[in-house]
Amino acid sequence: MALALTTIGFDADDTLWQNEQFFAMTQDRFADLLADHADKPDLMARLMQAERRNLSHYGFGIKGFTLSMIETAIEITQGKVPATVIGEILDAGRDMLSHPVELLPGVQDTLEALRPDHKLLLITKGDLLDQMRKVEQSGLREHFDAIEIVSHKTPAEYTEIFRRHGTGADQGLMAGNSMSSDVLPMLEAGGWGVLIPHGLTWALEHAKAPQDHPRFAEIPNLAHLPALVAQCKSVG
């Protein structure tokens, strides 16, 4: 017997609005500041190492990224980084935290098409204040039945969210640009996982796609989701 698809979850950053491009722009600015001490590939590798180390301490988001840049600057200069450079890094972080939200194409139309027949959830991870700022500025809040900002996206987290706001993860779908955060843990929770690739995706969000999983799909952009949802409902 086919299970009804009742609830659809959406990632936010780089699924509903632009995000990673601002990190890339700030990395370029960071590389310029430290150009006398390291070439860009080496600096970016050191920064990635710092981000990976610091995830368990700072979590996801701009504030943790800014602290990792400062840590990398101290390491790369052997503790001699000028205070003016630290100030520039802090300014760069503040600029990211105040950047206007830029919706991706097709977002409004997709949410309006799906809302009449489904509960819609926004499920994102990162800094609470920054994510709520983006939700408010996006103008999308009214489309969602619930908004969840979590520290990590895990099978247990998805199981609980879709139980609390829907009819269970097995009747839910999660759509996003991250294989490791949006797709794989949702599949493990028993739901559908839909990958919507973005031109820029953080390296730590990459993972191998599942092979021949009946509830995994990849679509080129968000506008294809309503048709896929109709297909999922017929397959079960």
Side-chain angles (χ1 to χ4, degrees):
M1 178 179 177
L3 288 172
L5 175 54
T6 65
T7 311
I8 301 173
F10 292 84
D11 173 50
D13 294 336
D14 295 320
T15 298
L16 301 180
W17 52 67
Q18 297 284 5
N19 181 64
E20 191 62 25
Q21 70 176 21
F22 305 124
F23 282 83
M25 291 166 56
T26 303
Q27 286 173 343
D28 289 342
R29 183 173 173 182
F30 181 56
D32 289 342
L33 288 171
L34 276 299
D36 292 338
H37 301 277
D39 60 25
K40 186 176 179 181
D42 181 48
L43 184 65
M44 293 302 101
R46 296 284 290 272
L47 176 58
M48 179 61 66
Q49 292 171 4
E51 289 183 272
R52 194 183 299 272
R53 287 195 307 270
N54 290 332
L55 270 180
S56 61
H57 301 293
Y58 306 144
F60 296 88
I62 293 170
K63 294 175 185 176
F65 174 64
T66 303
L67 290 171
S68 291
M69 284 194 293
I70 292 173
E71 180 179 316
T72 301
I74 292 171
E75 290 179 351
I76 213 81
T77 63
Q78 298 180 341
K80 298 177 182 178
V81 57
T84 53
V85 171
I86 299 296
E88 288 274 2
I89 294 171
L90 291 171
D91 285 344
R94 279 190 288 267
D95 287 345
M96 292 178 71
L97 288 167
S98 61
H99 202 286
V101 172
E102 297 180 14
L103 293 183
L104 287 165
V107 170
Q108 291 273 11
D109 290 343
T110 297
L111 296 178
E112 289 173 2
L114 293 170
R115 181 160 175 74
D117 300 316
H118 307 84
K119 285 190 173 182
L120 302 187
L121 312 178
L122 192 155
I123 307 172
T124 184
K125 65 184 179 185
D127 179 77
L128 176 63
L129 292 177
D130 186 38
Q131 294 302 90
M132 286 307 300
R133 173 188 70 84
K134 288 187 281 190
V135 170
E136 295 300 333
Q137 288 188 7
S138 72
L140 299 177
R141 173 184 276 278
E142 65 181 18
H143 292 290
F144 295 102
D145 294 279
I147 295 172
E148 292 278 351
I149 300 173
V150 300
S151 297
H152 299 280
K153 292 178 174 177
T154 64
E157 195 74 66
Y158 283 130
T159 297
E160 173 58 22
I161 289 173
F162 280 85
R163 180 200 66 78
R164 189 164 63 246
H165 300 297
T167 54
D170 60 348
Q171 296 183 354
L173 180 150
M174 183 65 192
N177 71 298
S178 170
M179 182 67 72
S180 66
S181 292
D182 302 318
V183 174
L184 296 181
M186 186 59 179
L187 294 176
E188 189 173 339
W192 283 270
V194 178
L195 181 69
I196 308 173
H198 184 273
L200 294 172
T201 298
W202 191 32
L204 296 185
E205 297 289 358
H206 292 175
K208 290 184 178 180
Q211 297 297 313
D212 301 320
H213 195 294
R215 288 195 163 199
F216 166 67
E218 179 176 334
I219 55 178
N221 55 60
L222 203 61
H224 288 74
L225 188 59
L228 178 66
V229 166
Q231 180 181 340
C232 291
K233 293 173 75 171
S234 66
V235 172

